[in-house]
Amino acid sequence: MGPVEAEESGGGRAVPVRLPERLSVRDQVLDALREAIVTGELAPGSVHSGPALAARYGVSATPVREAMQALAREGAVDVLPNRGFRITERSARDLAELAEVRALLEVPVLLALARALPAGRWAELLPLAEETVAVAARGDRAAYAESDRAFHRALLGLSGNLQLVAVAEDLHRRAQWPAADAPLPLRPAALLADAAEHNVLLEALIAGDLRTVESLAREHVSPARR
């Protein structure tokens, strides 16, 4: 990680400040843990200690602890004092509630944008939609989770509301954590069906078909299809 100019010397020149390398290690561990949770490698309800996870990834306990605290804020794990961390057991009700909130947030925004934006703006997102299909075809659930969020981030980003995008992304990530009774890994056919809806939604947005946009957007966030 390169130096960051954050301080000034007595002569007024910026003095490079090197950020701790452990921050980059923490991010790597966080990405690895997210992938292990999304794929079910770390199953819902399982308990993991900091030292055991540190040994698993060949790092010290500090970046693991920091990564797990970040996951706790995302709702992916529960902190167990003196024991470690438990992968959150998300129920069908939890997923249904997340879907309801996502629909309340995203659908009105998409409908407003559909009324305001020209077809060309939606067409610009077609490559992202195609990328989600390509990733889904590989059957890589973790990579698909990332590309799925990237598509929705770009979709809602057309609103120009960064706070909206941040809140929506947090809800989306939470909805991607597996439910306790969900079969894993998710079948490639299910990933492909989900990805295909991105193209169909864009087609409706390009056509200005508000009724179809609303029904597709609501169905797309439904947990029953995942």
Side-chain angles (χ1 to χ4, degrees):
M1 183 175 297
V4 177
E5 294 185 351
E7 297 180 356
E8 292 186 355
S9 65
R13 295 179 58 189
V15 177
V17 177
R18 185 170 295 276
L19 295 176
E21 289 293 332
R22 66 183 176 85
L23 292 181
S24 62
V25 175
R26 176 262 194 191
D27 289 340
Q28 293 176 44
V29 172
L30 180 57
D31 286 344
L33 288 169
R34 282 173 173 160
E35 180 174 347
I37 294 172
V38 167
T39 60
E41 186 178 346
L42 297 181
S46 60
V47 177
H48 307 272
S49 70
L53 289 171
R56 176 193 184 102
Y57 295 111
V59 298
S60 68
T62 298
V64 169
R65 183 168 57 251
E66 292 173 347
M68 278 301 199
Q69 292 294 343
L71 289 171
R73 290 191 293 272
E74 294 175 4
V77 303
D78 300 313
V79 178
L80 304 177
N82 303 318
R83 291 184 59 196
F85 308 89
R86 179 175 58 216
I87 310 303
T88 301
E89 296 183 271
R90 205 173 300 282
S91 67
R93 180 182 178 86
D94 293 329
L95 294 179
E97 289 176 351
L98 281 168
E100 181 180 1
V101 177
R102 286 187 67 196
L104 288 170
L105 182 67
E106 296 183 30
V107 173
V109 173
L110 283 179
L111 290 174
L113 289 174
R115 296 185 181 97
L117 296 180
R121 296 300 303 278
W122 301 114
E124 293 172 3
L125 301 185
L126 287 171
L128 276 176
E130 292 299 334
E131 175 63 17
T132 65
V133 174
V135 174
R138 300 201 302 266
D140 186 336
R141 183 183 173 93
Y144 180 72
E146 293 289 340
S147 65
D148 185 30
R149 289 199 311 280
F151 172 79
H152 284 268
R153 188 164 57 242
L155 196 69
L156 295 175
L158 292 175
S159 69
N161 188 327
L162 298 181
Q163 298 302 317
L164 165 73
V165 174
V167 171
E169 172 132 359
D170 179 64
L171 290 169
H172 193 168
R173 188 187 293 278
R174 289 170 184 264
Q176 290 175 329
W177 304 128
D181 58 352
L184 290 169
L186 199 66
R187 293 173 300 171
L191 291 180
L192 279 169
D194 191 73
E197 290 183 359
H198 295 154
N199 279 314
V200 178
L201 178 60
L202 285 180
E203 289 171 3
L205 287 163
I206 291 170
D209 185 349
L210 299 185
R211 180 176 298 180
T212 301
V213 167
E214 181 172 6
S215 63
L216 282 173
R218 292 188 185 281
E219 182 181 353
H220 188 65
V221 300
S222 171
R225 302 158 38 265
R226 283 170 166 71

